[in-house]
Amino acid sequence: MHDTFNQGLIEFLRASPTPFHATASLANRLQAAGYQRLDERDAWQLEPGGRYYVTRNDSSLVAFQIGSRTLLEGGLRLVGAHTDSPCLRVKPQPDLQRNGFWQLGVEVYGGALLAPWFDRDLSLAGRVTYSRDGRIESQLIDFRQPIAVIPNLAIHLNREANQGWAINPQNELPPILAQVYSQETPDFRALLAEQLGREHGLVADVVLDYELSFYDTQPAAVIGLNRDFITGARLDNLLSCFAGLQALLASGPEQSCVLVCTDHEEVGSSSHCGADGPFLEQVLRRIVPEPDAFSRCISRSLLISADNAHAVHPNYADKHDGNHGPKLNAGPVIKVNNNQRYATNSETAGFFRHLCLENEVPVQSFVTRSDLGCGSTIGPITASQLGVRTVDIGLPTFAMHSIRELAGSQDLAHLVKVLTAFYRSSELP
């Protein structure tokens, strides 16, 4: 079974180079499974047994099914993840012409590991907003083919490279697109207009604006002598989005289930479509509009916040607490931080651990070293927004925030199995 899930994840990653494409990929799969698309601007007519999804900003999505068990009796089973990953975003006026090369100015999005971006075959994807026949429209684009590269400087010219050097994003990260000659004037917006025509058959009057990200064209793969690993871009956190989707599609009809995949987690989640915005609460209040009933429903609900965890790296084992070092292919990790960087408490951790044991899924724990800080997730944000009990979990990975990350090839199946059991569970703590 894990081979099937891994191949599905590889295809999902290939189709999802940006949060916009990831949301479209999720929506397409939900639509194919019979979920009905809702528009936030319309009145909703929700029915028992109905399955629905809604998007915001083309980059965040909430999908839900209304179970046969009443919401006041059973509450909601929620799984949360995020659609964004650290990357290089193109600036609004990016064209650079230096020493006979056309380059694009970029801004670092999120806490990216920068060194792995050098010497990669890069493509470009995202959302373009344009005018056509007097109307303002937006469309997703994906060049797909390698169109850019950020070449390293030779060791002969940078003798300190292997001793570590500070990468200057302004000067050293602009990718090279092409050679140009003195009579040529590079025009990035004209290039985007051409891509709209090639990809969608559209003739744009003016390209008004865009949100575009470079990405590595090397596809994800299952690797290793014994095929122990899966490696690819954006495992953090599209791996969790994919697992949550598979679990939702396998859920039974009794419980009311929610999958929320929001944008902007890597930069703090503070946006109208991020976890620190009102999107999820506004959707849930339309499912349960009466205030008293909403509060009672939330008190009977539980959120599993799924985001990747740091596995023990054999070359850097001292970066972990010796008793809390998650291993690849040893199951999902319960993430604990007493300073509330994770929202896990003993009750929610106990429930998740029991759920894993009941379903023969291995489970691990992670606490960062006491002399190191830890990252955060949508868990504490959503818990404080909704007042919903939360457990933070994730699959162990290496090279988090690199252009290419690595996870265990058996762990995705473990996560799908326990999340499916959660969506089907009859009792919450």
Side-chain angles (χ1 to χ4, degrees):
M1 179 60 75
H2 64 267
D3 287 338
T4 302
F5 284 132
N6 288 338
Q7 188 56 45
L9 174 62
I10 289 169
E11 293 169 0
F12 179 65
L13 293 171
R14 186 192 297 270
S16 307
T18 73
F20 303 109
H21 290 83
T23 299
S25 298
L26 291 167
N28 290 338
R29 287 160 170 79
L30 288 163
Q31 195 92 35
Y35 277 71
Q36 176 184 341
R37 185 181 188 114
L38 299 173
D39 191 317
E40 289 192 274
R41 297 166 293 186
D42 297 337
W44 293 357
Q45 302 297 325
L46 306 180
E47 300 176 355
R51 297 182 296 173
Y52 308 95
Y53 73 93
V54 59
T55 66
R56 180 176 287 188
N57 190 49
D58 299 325
S59 62
S60 296
L61 175 145
V62 178
F64 60 95
Q65 71 166 22
I66 301 176
S68 58
R69 192 179 184 191
T70 67
L71 287 164
L72 289 182
E73 179 187 5
L76 294 163
R77 281 134 187 80
L78 302 102
V79 172
H82 64 87
T83 59
D84 60 322
S85 303
C87 63
L88 304 182
R89 295 272 175 94
V90 182
K91 290 182 175 180
Q93 298 176 148
D95 292 302
L96 301 172
Q97 190 170 351
R98 303 189 298 192
N99 296 100
F101 293 97
W102 180 15
Q103 296 176 272
L104 295 181
V106 292
E107 182 179 7
V108 178
Y109 176 87
L113 277 171
L114 298 181
W117 280 83
F118 289 84
D119 304 323
R120 296 279 183 167
D121 299 339
L122 303 177
S123 192
L124 190 64
R127 183 173 66 178
V128 177
T129 300
Y130 57 94
S131 64
R132 185 167 65 117
D133 299 329
R135 299 189 307 274
I136 297 176
E137 301 176 353
S138 293
Q139 186 62 254
L140 304 190
I141 65 168
D142 182 0
F143 282 81
R144 293 187 175 87
Q145 299 300 315
I147 63 167
V149 65
I150 308 170
N152 252 306
L153 184 63
I155 188 70
H156 315 80
L157 304 177
N158 183 13
R159 293 291 184 182
E160 303 301 314
N162 292 331
Q163 281 70 55
W165 89 100
I167 297 171
N168 185 305
Q170 176 72 18
N171 298 332
E172 298 179 66
L173 290 185
I176 295 174
L177 269 67
Q179 283 190 294
V180 294
Y181 302 95
S182 57
Q183 69 273 19
E184 296 178 322
T185 303
D187 187 341
F188 181 61
R189 290 178 189 244
L191 177 66
L192 297 182
E194 292 172 8
Q195 181 63 21
L196 286 169
R198 282 192 298 266
E199 193 171 343
H200 300 290
L202 297 173
V203 178
D205 297 331
V206 178
V207 171
L208 299 168
D209 226 315
Y210 49 80
E211 294 168 86
L212 297 169
S213 306
F214 281 102
Y215 70 92
D216 186 7
T217 57
Q218 182 180 0
V222 177
I223 68 165
L225 187 63
N226 300 311
R227 296 176 60 83
D228 289 327
F229 316 115
I230 185 165
T231 181
R234 302 177 300 283
L235 293 180
D236 177 17
N237 188 29
L238 294 187
L239 187 156
S240 299
C241 292
F242 180 78
L245 174 68
Q246 297 306 305
L248 182 65
L249 296 181
S251 63
E254 183 181 0
Q255 307 301 336
S256 294
C257 304
V258 179
L259 173 66
V260 52
C261 299
T262 49
D263 197 2
H264 300 140
E265 190 275 344
E266 298 293 358
V267 292
S269 292
S270 294
S271 68
H272 83 296
C273 61
D276 201 22
F279 182 34
L280 176 59
E281 182 176 355
Q282 289 175 345
V283 171
L284 297 183
R285 286 192 180 277
R286 297 180 76 168
I287 300 172
V288 190
E290 201 278 314
D292 181 71
F294 179 82
S295 296
R296 292 165 63 192
C297 173
I298 292 298
S299 72
R300 288 174 168 83
S301 303
L302 191 140
L303 166 70
I304 294 179
S305 166
D307 202 348
N308 296 12
H310 296 289
V312 175
H313 193 305
N315 298 344
Y316 307 95
D318 60 346
K319 293 296 184 180
H320 282 75
D321 182 301
N323 290 339
H324 302 92
K327 296 178 172 58
L328 299 180
N329 291 318
V333 179
I334 300 171
K335 301 196 284 189
V336 176
N337 181 267
N338 285 305
N339 292 303
Q340 295 301 296
R341 298 290 287 175
Y342 304 130
T344 306
N345 61 34
S346 60
E347 185 180 65
T348 59
F351 168 75
F352 187 80
R353 190 178 302 278
H354 178 70
L355 194 65
C356 288
L357 294 174
E358 271 195 329
N359 291 276
E360 300 181 333
V361 171
V363 63
Q364 310 179 76
S365 296
F366 171 76
V367 180
T368 192
R369 284 178 57 110
S370 298
D371 53 359
L372 290 177
C374 74
S376 65
T377 71
I378 67 166
I381 295 170
T382 309
S384 61
Q385 286 272 353
L386 291 179
V388 65
R389 295 169 298 169
T390 300
V391 57
D392 270 295
I393 63 100
L395 291 185
T397 56
F398 291 155
M400 193 182 296
H401 289 196
S402 176
I403 197 171
R404 195 166 182 84
E405 300 163 323
L406 185 141
S409 61
Q410 300 172 38
D411 278 333
L412 176 57
H414 292 319
L415 182 57
V416 172
K417 186 175 183 181
V418 72
L419 293 182
T420 302
F422 170 63
Y423 277 142
R424 292 171 172 264
S425 60
S426 58
E427 296 299 329
L428 298 177

